[in-house]
Amino acid sequence: TQTVSQSDAHVTVFEGDSVELRCNYSYGGSIYLSWYIQHHGRGLQFLLKYYSGNPVVQGVNGFEAEFSKSDSSFHLRKASVHWSDSAVYFCAVRPNNNRIFFGDGTQLVVKP
Amino acid sequence: AQTIHQWPVAEIKAVGSPLSLGCTIKGKSSPNLYWYWQATGGTLQQLFYSITVGQVESVVQLNLSASRPKDDQFILSTEKLLLSHSGFYLCACWTDQAPLFGEGTRLSVL
């Protein structure tokens, strides 16, 4: 079964800390990768994407992610988190078809 | 820039009543469109997708149906709601190598 795995259901850090949210996938071939943030009760807001080129991509609000073909990963990072970064983060993978698969999400809590 | 508008923002409906949720996309022609369902605090389940007018593919039906009556419109519906239909419904459009989401519709079935 092909999957998108976000290994950490919950991550808690303090404001100003760095954070990495992990995403691994099992799809082969050319794939589209993206990350989203969902604040409570809201829709999904786009953070960043990767399809080809430089494996480190920059997104909104200081987020970046790094693609690794060898690890089948697309981890999201931020150097210094703010309390407003507290939300659920979803990794998305689109293989070469019309399906888009999501991980189960990682709840990020940023403590003051 | 593309925008997605979902309606209504929220619904409270009785079990057994009909439902129609809508999604309109502006700024992109012939978009690939998707419906997702999210249980409270849960994962995203893809329900349907459509690549063109009049064509809809079912991924997981959950006693729901979808239609694409116009290029920029995607409708999710059922004639008889179940309690299990409660949740958050999200419409998405494939654009610029990533999906763009609407703000969602919160559905409570009582």
Side-chain angles (χ1 to χ4, degrees):
Chain A
T1 303
Q2 296 177 313
T3 61
V4 182
S5 174
Q6 292 183 242
S7 53
D8 299 312
H10 299 274
V11 173
T12 300
V13 295
F14 288 95
E15 201 165 22
D17 285 351
S18 63
V19 70
E20 179 178 84
L21 306 182
R22 304 172 64 81
C23 175
N24 290 86
Y25 57 88
S26 63
Y27 304 94
S30 298
I31 57 172
Y32 298 88
L33 296 156
S34 49
W35 274 97
Y36 295 81
I37 179 173
Q38 185 179 36
H39 288 103
H40 183 68
R42 303 294 303 277
L44 271 68
Q45 292 178 271
F46 172 80
L47 288 177
L48 46 74
K49 64 182 179 182
Y50 175 81
Y51 178 63
S52 63
N54 189 333
V56 179
V57 292
Q58 305 296 321
V60 299
N61 294 334
F63 285 97
E64 69 172 31
E66 183 167 4
F67 167 71
S68 170
K69 186 174 183 178
S70 60
D71 293 340
S72 296
S73 68
F74 189 54
H75 302 327
L76 181 71
R77 301 190 294 245
K78 188 168 183 178
S80 177
V81 294
H82 186 262
W83 64 266
S84 60
D85 294 325
S86 294
V88 180
Y89 291 78
F90 288 96
C91 176
V93 176
R94 178 184 165 176
N96 194 20
N97 57 31
N98 287 310
R99 297 286 306 275
I100 305 172
F101 300 92
F102 286 83
D104 289 342
T106 297
Q107 173 80 58
L108 176 65
V109 174
V110 181
K111 292 187 174 182
Chain B
Q2 295 86 18
T3 60
I4 297 183
H5 172 61
Q6 285 189 243
W7 75 91
V9 172
E11 280 266 46
I12 300 175
K13 303 278 280 187
V15 170
S17 63
L19 173 76
S20 182
L21 304 181
C23 173
T24 298
I25 293 82
K26 298 298 182 188
K28 184 170 180 65
S29 60
S30 303
N32 284 9
L33 300 175
Y34 306 83
W35 276 112
Y36 283 85
W37 174 75
Q38 185 182 34
T40 302
T43 60
L44 291 149
Q45 173 67 64
Q46 187 172 346
L47 301 175
F48 299 95
Y49 68 89
S50 171
I51 61 173
T52 192
V53 174
Q55 180 268 349
V56 175
E57 296 293 331
S58 171
V59 177
V60 175
Q61 282 193 314
L62 300 181
N63 292 302
L64 297 165
S65 61
S67 64
R68 179 92 175 259
K70 300 179 184 178
D71 187 53
D72 64 350
Q73 200 172 78
F74 204 20
I75 307 296
L76 186 70
S77 61
T78 183
E79 292 186 0
K80 197 174 281 190
L81 278 165
L82 307 172
L83 285 173
S84 57
H85 286 135
S86 292
F88 197 44
Y89 289 85
L90 289 155
C91 179
C93 166
W94 182 259
T95 176
D96 195 21
Q97 301 180 339
L100 173 69
F101 284 87
E103 277 297 317
T105 295
R106 176 78 53 194
L107 175 65
S108 298
V109 182
L110 306 176

